[in-house]
Every structure is written in C-alpha cells, then in structure tokens.
Amino acid sequence: MLEEVERWLNTRSWSAGDRPVQHLLSAKRATGQSVSVVLPALDEEATVGDIVTVIRRELMLRVPLVDEVVVVDSGSGDRTAEVAAAAGARVEHRDAILPRIPALPGKGEVLWRSLLVTGGDIVCFVDADLREFSADFVSGIVGPLLTDPDVHLVKAMYDRPLGTAPGQGGRVTELMARPLLNMHWPRLAGFVQPLGGEYAARRSLLERLPFPVGYGVELGMLVDALHLVGLDALAQVDVGVRVHRHQDGRALGRMAAAIYRTAQLRLARGHLVRPTLTQFERGVDGFEPRTYTVDTEERPPMTEIAEYAARRVA
C-alpha cells in the first residue's frame, strides 16, 4: 500500500460514533448547510418505507439534521412510490425529471437526475433495498461534511454478510473493483467499500461530475472525484453492517462488465472495448448464450444542463 494511502487511512477513516448527532446538529446550525437524502428505487416496496421512516423519525423529527428525504422512482411495477409517500418521503418519478432528455435505465441515471429535484448543499445517497436500517448510515457519512470544510465526498464502509456467512458479500467489489483500483488508481486502495451505494457529497462536487448511467456510477464518481478534488478531500466512515438483497451470479457479471467499461473509459478515453457481455444459461438443448448490452452512456456534469442553471438563478 502506498505510504500516502496509509496516512489517509489514519486521517480520513472514522466511525459513525466519532461524531455524535448533537455535535453534527451544532455544526449544521453554525455553517447553515442543508442536507438532502436521496433513495433511488426500483421495485423496493418491501424496504423503502422502513428506511424513510427511520430517517424521518431519527434525523428529521427527533433531531433536525436532514432537511428532505426524496425517493426517486425509476419505473417500479410495485407499490414503491405509494409506500415511500406514506412513510413521509417526497416521491419524484425519473421520467418526469428533465423530460427534454429521454431517460435511460440505470441507477446512475436516477442519481444524476436527483440533483434537479433536491436542494441540499450536501446530498446523501442511500440504496432503497437495505434491511435492518440504521440512521447511522446517514448521520455517519454526512458528519465529516458538516464538520470539516476540506472533505467533499464520504463513502460508508461496513461488513457485508452473504446470508449467514460474515464478510462474504461485495463479490463484485472483491473480484472486479478492488483489483482495478489497486492496479490503476492505487491512491483509492484504502476504500473498504468503493462500490457501496451509501455515500454523501457536497453538491458543489456532484454537479461537476459526469454520471455513468448504470452500475459504473460509484466507481466512476470515486475516480473522477480523486482527480477533481484530491485524495484528502475523500473520506470513509464505518457504519456497522449492511444487510440487503443479493443478486445472482449472472446479474453480478453484468454489473462487473459495466464497472470494467467505466474504468476502461477513464484509462483510455476514445478507445472503447466492445460494449456487450455474453453469459450462458442451461436450457433444454444445453447451454444457451444470452448477450446483454453493457451501459455505454454517461450524463454530463449537471452544470452543463440549462435547466439546472436556470433553477439555481431562480
């Protein structure tokens, strides 16, 4: 590990308990910063309501740390939107945000569009499929942003069990993202969960970043933020254990392909590998190929979008 990364681990890695919520509230009042929490959601009726309920109860009603909770629904076929609204979230629909630009499928697309329908100086992203959710997932990662003006992006770190096996989750992280980062961006080798969906950042950073529309958004954001603001502006906070729904091996393969493509673009702009992935499923006549398109689109920095600039002037 680079000496710089060892130093970073000692100075930019914290625990959620290092900053009590009352301390964060004092910092928020002193600096006047506002906090938005965004949950990108697709068919998450089983979990989204509980997450919104905890955030509202613990961080809006009991302690006014969060200013708004916004669930951005990306075309759910279940009751995700109704459950989220009943729990107290403001629900926005992906296709209704910036309708001039037709929406593409993918998590990164939802996160990018969320900047247009939120107002916080700090934007906190939380996946909507978490179970046994704790408010530490929010307060822990917004804490350094409220208390340290030199920090611009904070990732959550946590244990990821796979079923009853501790530490066996995060398979794409260990098999794809961590090797890529260690080999090509070794200054990011200290991040425990580089692909984690729980992170917070200053709007002033997010609006200057391009957003890969799909699974590559977390890796792309981390790499681009490193180049834009430097390693010392990035941090991570231990929030405990993350329990969520796991995907099957084929879905993980598609995720890995998108992440590799995102990395490859950043390594060699202008040289694009063939953006498809063929996987195999056993059928009645043996193994049958299934070919999927790998995400090839990225959204530009939000500062280049006229509607966003007009909103800020208004």
Side-chain angles (χ1 to χ4, degrees):
M1 182 176 289
L2 296 176
E3 185 175 316
E4 179 185 10
V5 176
E6 291 184 356
R7 178 193 56 77
W8 178 84
L9 281 169
N10 290 324
T11 60
R12 286 291 187 260
S13 294
W14 296 292
S15 170
D18 292 337
R19 293 175 176 83
V21 173
Q22 288 297 335
H23 176 58
L24 300 183
L25 185 59
S26 296
K28 182 178 189 292
R29 288 169 173 163
T31 59
Q33 298 177 91
S34 55
V35 178
S36 299
V37 177
V38 172
L39 280 72
L42 176 63
D43 295 331
E44 302 294 356
E45 67 174 353
T47 51
V48 67
D50 289 341
I51 297 171
V52 171
T53 296
V54 170
I55 294 172
R56 281 183 47 79
R57 182 183 68 233
E58 301 294 330
L59 301 178
M60 297 182 78
L61 301 177
R62 186 170 298 171
V63 177
L65 190 68
V66 170
D67 296 279
E68 61 177 353
V69 179
V70 180
V71 170
V72 183
D73 184 76
S74 55
S76 296
D78 65 3
R79 298 180 60 254
T80 291
E82 292 87 344
V83 171
R90 172 160 55 89
V91 177
E92 301 282 351
H93 296 276
R94 179 198 62 193
D95 295 353
I97 304 170
L98 195 61
R100 174 177 64 85
I101 301 176
L104 295 169
K107 177 184 177 183
E109 178 83 355
V110 175
L111 302 184
W112 181 71
R113 289 175 187 262
S114 76
L115 296 181
L116 270 162
V117 293
T118 54
D121 303 302
I122 296 169
V123 182
C124 174
F125 299 119
V126 175
D127 281 351
D129 66 342
L130 302 187
R131 302 194 301 271
E132 302 175 23
F133 180 77
S134 165
D136 286 348
F137 274 78
V138 174
S139 59
I141 57 178
V142 303
L145 296 164
L146 289 170
T147 59
D148 189 337
D150 295 327
V151 175
H152 289 256
L153 184 148
V154 183
K155 297 279 293 188
M157 56 177 168
Y158 33 67
D159 296 318
R160 294 187 67 181
L162 180 61
T164 59
Q168 296 302 306
R171 291 161 288 172
V172 176
T173 292
E174 300 303 330
L175 297 175
M176 175 59 72
R178 199 176 308 285
L180 280 173
L181 293 176
N182 275 263
M183 288 187 289
H184 298 297
W185 295 281
R187 296 170 70 202
L188 296 174
F191 277 93
V192 175
Q193 297 291 352
L195 300 185
E198 291 69 47
Y199 48 99
R202 299 192 188 282
R203 178 176 295 271
S204 58
L205 171 62
L206 293 172
E207 65 188 9
R208 291 184 288 158
L209 295 176
F211 277 63
V213 300
Y215 286 126
V217 63
E218 275 84 22
L219 183 134
M221 188 178 296
L222 203 55
V223 169
D224 294 341
L226 173 68
H227 291 304
L228 200 58
V229 296
L231 182 60
D232 282 340
L234 312 180
Q236 60 185 351
V237 173
D238 188 347
V239 297
V241 179
R242 186 184 197 266
V243 181
H244 67 117
R245 182 187 66 252
H246 292 281
Q247 301 194 56
D248 64 28
R250 285 186 290 271
L252 295 179
R254 296 191 290 275
M255 184 185 300
I259 290 164
Y260 176 78
R261 175 262 172 192
T262 300
Q264 190 272 339
L265 271 183
R266 281 153 178 77
L267 288 168
R269 294 283 182 181
H271 172 65
L272 181 64
V273 295
R274 185 169 179 265
T276 59
L277 173 73
T278 299
Q279 298 175 318
F280 293 87
E281 298 178 15
R282 184 181 290 279
V284 294
D285 297 320
F287 286 103
E288 300 175 356
R290 299 285 188 272
T291 299
Y292 300 89
T293 299
V294 176
D295 298 320
T296 58
E297 297 290 338
E298 295 198 7
R299 294 305 192 188
M302 190 57 78
T303 51
E304 298 178 13
I305 301 300
E307 288 88 339
Y308 188 75
R311 191 197 72 160
R312 297 185 69 184
V313 170

